[in-house]
């Protein structure tokens, strides 16, 4: 299975900060057609996970533009600018290139 | 609006089978896409379990392949998870989710907590 490693595990922030979360895979997530299936999710307590970014950098419908994704191959970044209270929670990346799909271990965005 | 809702027994004894239901509203599960089960263990690790797609084909995580079955009732727009021979390690929150063609999950249920305990 592809191992997906997220860092950091915890990210203390102040509102208005800009932060980055890293997601690294044990093998390239580009398939033979050059497509890369890497997505990002936010999971708030008591809610279902919500899709933020798909295909490395495409924002899902309704996701604010302060969320952005980048990367290629084995290294990917989720950047959040101007953090707001509603951004707090657990962030996960998911690789959908190699079966079985695998998630990163999560990054907890919390207030300082 | 697409909505998914899980339901299940809440508590299952070790060695028994668990059965969960995902009821989908706002979209027919036979129209398109893949319909998945994902679980989150205590400690927050997420595991993809498997799916049944719009045509009825299934795919399972090899780590579960001998114990898992995903089926559906198209007349009720529901799909189901059966996991056999459960142990305490199957204690988790179980989510159903729709998988888009570019291999991401765009709609999720609220989750149902399952505890395996005697």
């Amino acid at each position: 299975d592809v191992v997906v490693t997220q860092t950091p595990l915890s990210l203390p922030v102040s509102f208005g900060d800009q932060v980055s979360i890293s997601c690294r895979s044990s093998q390239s997530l580009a398939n033979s057609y050059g497509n890369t299936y890497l997505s990002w999710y936010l999971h708030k307590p008591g809610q279902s996970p919500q899709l933020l970014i798909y295909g490395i950098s495409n924002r899902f419908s309704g996701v604010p533009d302060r969320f952005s994704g980048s990367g290629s191959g084995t290294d990917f970044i989720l950047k959040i600018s101007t953090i707001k209270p509603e951004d707090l929670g657990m962030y996960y990346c998911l690789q959908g290139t190699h079966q079985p799909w695998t998630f990163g271990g999560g990054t907890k965005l919390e207030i300082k | 609006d697409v909505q998914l809702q899980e339901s299940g027994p809440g508590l299952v004894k070790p060695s028994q089978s668990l059965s969960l239901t995902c009821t989908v509203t706002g979209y027919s599960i036979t129209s398109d896409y893949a319909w998945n089960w994902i679980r989150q263990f205590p400690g927050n690790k997420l595991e993809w379990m498997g799916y049944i797609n719009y045509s009825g084909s299934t795919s399972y995580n090899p780590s579960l392949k001998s114990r898992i079955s995903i089926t559906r009732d198209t007349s009720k727009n529901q799909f189901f998870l059966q996991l056999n021979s459960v142990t305490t390690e199957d204690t988790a929150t179980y989510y159903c989710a729709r998988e888009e063609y570019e291999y991401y999950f765009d709609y999720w249920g609220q989750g149902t907590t399952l505890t395996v305990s005697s």
Side-chain angles (χ1 to χ4, degrees), chain A:
Chain A
D1 296 2
V2 174
V3 176
V4 181
T5 303
Q6 266 183 256
T7 54
L9 267 64
S10 173
L11 195 45
V13 300
S14 299
F15 299 131
D17 282 355
Q18 175 176 294
V19 299
S20 295
I21 299 171
S22 168
C23 179
R24 181 165 289 176
S25 57
S26 60
Q27 59 183 277
S28 175
L29 299 185
N31 66 11
S32 56
Y33 300 102
N35 299 315
T36 302
Y37 301 117
L38 188 285
S39 51
W40 291 93
Y41 302 83
L42 167 59
H43 192 190
K44 302 178 188 179
Q47 298 185 19
S48 54
Q50 56 189 91
L51 174 66
L52 298 173
I53 301 282
Y54 64 92
I56 304 177
S57 59
N58 300 288
R59 274 187 301 276
F60 186 55
S61 175
V63 175
D65 60 7
R66 63 177 183 276
F67 291 91
S68 62
S70 62
S72 64
T74 61
D75 290 286
F76 304 91
I77 297 285
L78 175 70
K79 190 175 291 185
I80 314 168
S81 62
T82 319
I83 288 180
K84 297 188 175 184
E86 57 265 34
D87 300 336
L88 300 180
M90 288 289 293
Y91 287 80
Y92 297 93
C93 56
L94 164 73
Q95 70 82 18
T97 300
H98 305 287
Q99 279 240 6
W101 316 147
T102 47
F103 290 87
T107 295
K108 186 173 185 179
L109 197 71
E110 54 190 349
I111 201 72
K112 276 183 187 170

Side-chain angles (χ1 to χ4, degrees), chain B residues 59-71:
Chain B
S59 178
Y60 302 131
N61 191 318
S63 68
L64 300 167
K65 205 156 194 175
S66 61
R67 299 197 293 135
I68 189 173
S69 176
I70 299 177
T71 57

